[in-house]
């Protein structure tokens, strides 16, 4: 190839690069950042449970069961019923976080446990009525590994009605569940869950249906805009939810060992 051809190829490459740089500078002038879309989240009735604060089964509250007297007792009740600050997790404007605090108020009475969960209506609609769902699950806890093992036995799901929760309003709701009966040396891991409602009813009687595909919006009635049918099973399985966890121990059960922490060398 002649030297003149190489020269013209070089000049062409330089011109192409200059044109590309000019196009970039025109689209994004210096000092102007590319506008990014805001992060999306599910705007709905959002629950929060004290289980968020616990890092593992061995750091959850311990309830001791005496099978002889058929009594349950929460250890260190005062410590677990401390006030929790939610920081900006449920603030209407994360840039200006509200000082939202609530107390779990865990109480064991007979064979039942009750505690407060926190909910906030971020659906953008006043809620005249909604039914949240309370679930429980119980699994064996290995005292040596400090981890649950085996099958999780689910309890019966129950509805927790909530009325007159205005848009943006937050509230503490009382959740109650049955306590399991471990053997004298047995450790059980109890999870109490609270799921957001699938539908809420506005003050004028309009049903609002949770739809994950819309992320930051909700759909009224049985279908979405455009006529696409909502898959109720898909959306119910992905409803916002919260949980609280407890270790229920027989009175002669060993204390579970904290699992080893992996650290980089």
């Amino acid at each position: 190839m002649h030297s003149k051809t190489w020269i013209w190829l070089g000049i062409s490459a330089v011109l192409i690069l200059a044109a590309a740089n000019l196009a970039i500078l025109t689209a994004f002038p210096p000092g102007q950042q590319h506008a990014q879309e805001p992060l999306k989240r599910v705007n709905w009735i959002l629950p929060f449970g004290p289980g968020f604060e616990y890092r593992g089964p061995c750091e959850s509250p311990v309830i001791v069961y005496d099978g002889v007297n058929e009594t349950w007792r929460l250890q260190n009740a005062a410590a677990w019923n401390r006030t929790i600050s939610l920081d900006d997790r449920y603030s209407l404007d994360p840039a200006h976080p509200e000082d939202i605090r609530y107390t779990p108020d865990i109480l064991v009475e007979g064979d039942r446990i009750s505690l407060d969960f926190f909910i906030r209506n971020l659906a953008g609609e006043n809620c005249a009525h909604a039914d949240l769902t309370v679930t429980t699950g119980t699994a064996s806890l290995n005292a040596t590994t400090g981890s649950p093992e085996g099958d999780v036995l689910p309890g019966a799901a129950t509805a927790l009605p909530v009325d007159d929760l205005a848009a943006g309003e937050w509230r503490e709701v009382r959740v109650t569940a049955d306590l399991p009966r471990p053997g004298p040396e047995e450790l059980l891991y109890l999870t109490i869950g609270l799921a957001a409602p699938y539908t809420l009813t506005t003050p004028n009687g309009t049903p609002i249906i949770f739809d994950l595909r819309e992320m930051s919006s909700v759909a009224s009635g049985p279908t979405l805009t455009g006529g696409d049918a909502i898959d109720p099973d898909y959306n119910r399985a992905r409803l916002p939810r919260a949980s609280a966890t407890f270790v229920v121990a027989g009175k002669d059960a060993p204390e579970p060992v904290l699992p080893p922490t992996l650290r980089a060398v």
Side-chain angles (χ1 to χ4, degrees):
M1 186 177 291
H2 298 292
S3 59
K4 289 184 178 181
T5 304
W6 283 110
I7 292 172
W8 282 111
L9 285 175
I11 293 173
S12 299
V14 170
L15 291 175
I16 291 172
L17 288 174
N21 289 332
L22 180 61
I24 293 173
L25 289 174
T26 302
F28 306 104
Q32 177 181 330
Q33 295 182 348
H34 176 59
Q36 296 181 348
E37 292 186 4
L39 293 177
K40 293 182 179 180
R41 66 175 177 179
V42 179
N43 289 338
W44 196 240
I45 294 181
L46 300 183
F48 173 93
F52 187 91
E53 304 295 313
Y54 312 143
R55 291 174 292 176
C58 299
E59 295 169 289
S60 298
V62 175
I63 299 171
V64 178
Y65 173 64
D66 183 346
V68 176
N69 299 310
E70 294 191 347
T71 58
W72 289 259
R73 177 177 56 85
L74 173 65
Q75 292 184 341
N76 302 320
W80 292 112
N81 283 326
R82 68 195 186 283
T83 299
I84 297 174
S85 175
L86 300 186
D87 303 319
D88 62 347
R89 297 171 207 169
Y90 293 92
S91 292
L92 296 177
D93 182 4
H96 301 87
E98 304 166 67
D99 186 19
I100 300 176
R101 300 169 180 267
Y102 98 108
T103 306
D105 287 326
I106 304 169
L107 181 64
V108 173
E109 292 182 303
D111 61 351
R112 306 272 284 173
I113 181 173
S114 61
L115 70 157
D116 287 338
F117 279 65
F118 167 96
I119 60 171
R120 186 158 205 178
N121 181 3
L122 298 182
E125 297 278 353
N126 291 331
C127 172
H129 177 81
D131 288 321
L132 286 75
T133 303
V134 178
T135 58
T136 60
T138 305
S140 294
L141 186 64
N142 189 308
T144 302
T145 64
S147 301
E149 61 183 9
D151 297 331
V152 177
L153 300 178
T158 58
L160 177 65
V162 175
D163 297 320
D164 302 322
L165 188 67
E169 181 182 357
W170 67 271
R171 183 182 302 172
E172 294 179 9
V173 293
R174 197 71 179 166
V175 172
T176 303
D178 292 328
L179 287 167
R181 301 170 182 263
E185 299 180 0
E186 187 179 15
L187 291 170
L188 297 178
Y189 189 52
L190 172 67
T191 301
I192 301 173
L194 181 66
Y198 179 57
T199 61
L200 65 84
T201 304
T202 64
N204 64 7
T206 301
I208 306 295
I209 301 174
F210 171 79
D211 180 39
L212 182 66
R213 293 175 299 177
E214 294 296 313
M215 291 302 291
S216 59
S217 63
V218 293
S220 300
T223 59
L224 288 169
T225 303
D228 295 331
I230 292 176
D231 183 347
D233 294 333
Y234 177 87
N235 285 294
R236 282 195 176 95
R238 289 159 179 80
L239 283 167
R241 60 193 68 231
S243 65
T245 59
F246 301 87
V247 174
V248 185
K251 67 174 185 177
D252 298 325
E255 290 188 8
V257 177
L258 284 170
T261 301
L262 298 178
R263 295 182 179 179
V265 178

